Amino acid sequence: MADANKTTSIAQRKLAAEAEAVLDQMYAYFTREERPRPVMSELDARRAA
């Protein structure tokens, strides 16, 4: 494994690290816990308007 890192260029390793970071962000986004949103009643909607 250490030999594989020596044969890849810095640019290739940077690109791979950036791609990994994007995948981590996407995974975190799609697996996040969503907080329940309060439902606005019809009466509250009329008052807000």
Side-chain angles (χ1 to χ4, degrees), residues 2-34:
D3 292 337
N5 285 341
K6 289 180 183 177
T7 58
T8 57
S9 70
I10 294 172
Q12 287 174 325
R13 283 184 270 163
K14 183 178 177 184
L15 186 61
E18 289 173 352
E20 190 69 29
V22 168
L23 289 175
D24 286 343
Q25 285 181 335
M26 289 173 62
Y27 179 79
Y29 175 80
F30 286 109
T31 58
R32 75 188 189 284
E33 294 282 327
E34 289 201 23

Side-chain angles (χ1 to χ4, degrees), residues 37-49:
R37 297 181 185 151
V39 177
M40 184 182 290
S41 71
E42 200 173 306
L43 183 60
D44 291 336
R46 287 186 202 153
R47 286 182 187 160

